[in-house]
Amino acid sequence: MAQFVLICNQNDLSTPIVAHVREEFKPEVAGLTLAEVNACIEEKKPDIGVVYLGQHTKNCVQALQDILTKVKGIPFILVGTRDNCRRFQGYNNGEEKQFIFMPMGTNSLLTQLKKTLKTLRNISDDEEGEGPGRKHILVVDDDSVYLRTMMNWLKDIYRVSVVKSGPAAITFLQGSVPDLVLLDYEMPEVDGLETLTMIRKLDTCKDVPVLFLTGISSAFAVREAVKLKPQGYILKKIDRDGLILKLKEVFNGNQ
């Protein structure tokens, strides 16, 4: 699972709440500057930003506004008093945003943060062990809207996890091996072909079925990747019934 980045004023790092979060989750840490947050995202590829609105936040209002509006590609969880959270409610980067209101006890905060992280990552309770008989599908796509669509289409039949980049997929696969990967062929920076190459280098994933998700224009290019043994490709214009039929065919063929 990709790690989140904890964003807070350096003077708040020693507070008990921040110390407990760091001990429990081992997140990446970035200060309240746009440059530092962007550098962390570029290097570590976190999937979520957790912003702690502590007592020193009032000195960094403009920096926080810049982070919440200009950092692209990850959703945010804001942790702070209700008044502080409301202060920054209107600043958006186009991704989902969640709030955890303080004060609350440490254990309650850690529990609430874990639940909120699961919500943003679209991880269902089945993935915590309540549905061992269901096939597990990992969907890799940089489009948040498409990921939500896939989740809604598949969640009643399969266990579904989603990530937004090739590096995030590799991090996920190092800790969990799904039954099938749906992989977007056209992603920025690290595309589907590069991601599949990395997947096949993982000993535990050499034989995991991979289906490319692609537009019509790249269907020919996908055929060029056959030496990496993808299971095939699915055109993104497919409807829900067609997708589920294709997935059943793949799973039945691997039995």
Side-chain angles (χ1 to χ4, degrees):
M1 181 70 64
Q3 188 54 281
F4 68 84
V5 54
L6 175 64
I7 304 166
C8 67
N9 188 293
Q10 295 297 319
N11 293 323
D12 286 321
L13 285 175
S14 60
T15 61
I17 286 293
V18 172
H20 282 298
V21 169
R22 295 181 69 185
E23 181 180 358
E24 178 74 15
F25 296 98
K26 306 295 189 297
E28 303 296 335
V29 178
L32 285 177
T33 69
L34 182 61
E36 191 170 341
V37 174
N38 277 333
C40 178
I41 291 172
E42 177 68 23
E43 180 182 359
K44 301 299 183 178
K45 309 296 183 185
D47 62 341
I48 293 172
V50 177
V51 182
Y52 177 64
L53 304 176
Q55 60 180 339
H56 295 94
T57 300
K58 61 183 179 181
N59 302 321
C60 308
V61 173
Q62 185 59 55
L64 266 169
Q65 292 173 357
D66 288 342
I67 290 168
L68 294 174
T69 56
K70 297 179 181 179
V71 173
K72 303 300 182 182
I74 65 171
F76 285 110
I77 301 171
L78 272 59
V79 181
T81 65
R82 191 175 296 271
D83 286 342
N84 270 346
C85 287
R86 285 174 176 169
R87 186 176 190 178
F88 297 99
Q89 186 173 0
Y91 297 96
N92 296 293
N93 66 344
E95 301 289 341
E96 188 172 354
K97 189 161 58 181
Q98 298 278 345
F99 300 92
I100 298 177
F101 298 129
M102 300 292 288
M104 67 172 64
T106 299
N107 289 336
S108 296
L109 172 64
L110 297 178
T111 299
Q112 185 62 42
L113 182 55
K114 182 177 180 181
K115 289 181 179 179
T116 308
L117 288 167
K118 284 175 61 179
T119 297
L120 286 179
R121 286 170 172 153
N122 288 317
I123 297 176
S124 67
D125 288 337
D126 287 338
E127 292 178 80
E128 299 296 315
E130 294 184 8
R134 304 172 89 184
K135 296 289 187 182
H136 182 192
I137 296 174
L138 173 66
V139 186
V140 187
D141 199 297
D142 63 297
D143 185 337
S144 298
V145 175
Y146 190 76
L147 287 177
R148 283 194 289 270
T149 298
M150 297 296 278
M151 171 63 70
N152 289 333
W153 281 4
L154 301 176
K155 65 183 179 180
D156 292 334
I157 303 174
Y158 303 106
R159 294 166 52 204
V160 183
S161 299
V162 299
V163 294
K164 295 186 63 177
S165 70
I170 298 305
T171 301
F172 180 94
L173 292 168
Q174 288 171 338
S176 180
V177 180
D179 297 290
L180 183 141
V181 177
L182 292 175
L183 176 61
D184 185 17
Y185 190 82
E186 298 168 307
M187 293 185 292
E189 298 184 12
V190 180
D191 64 19
L193 185 56
E194 293 176 275
T195 301
L196 180 55
T197 301
M198 293 189 290
I199 290 173
R200 291 306 184 220
K201 290 180 180 178
L202 298 174
D203 289 338
T204 55
C205 297
K206 291 183 182 297
D207 298 317
V208 172
V210 175
L211 282 170
F212 278 124
L213 299 165
T214 178
I216 295 175
S217 60
S218 62
F220 174 78
V222 172
R223 298 189 188 103
E224 299 298 299
V226 291
K227 63 181 180 180
L228 295 174
K229 299 180 181 179
Q231 202 72 20
Y233 66 90
I234 295 175
L235 297 179
K236 282 192 170 183
K237 67 177 184 179
I238 196 170
D239 60 16
R240 180 181 183 275
D241 291 342
L243 174 62
I244 292 173
L245 179 61
K246 178 66 174 179
L247 294 176
K248 288 181 177 179
E249 289 174 352
V250 172
F251 286 132
N252 289 338
N254 285 340
Q255 291 179 350

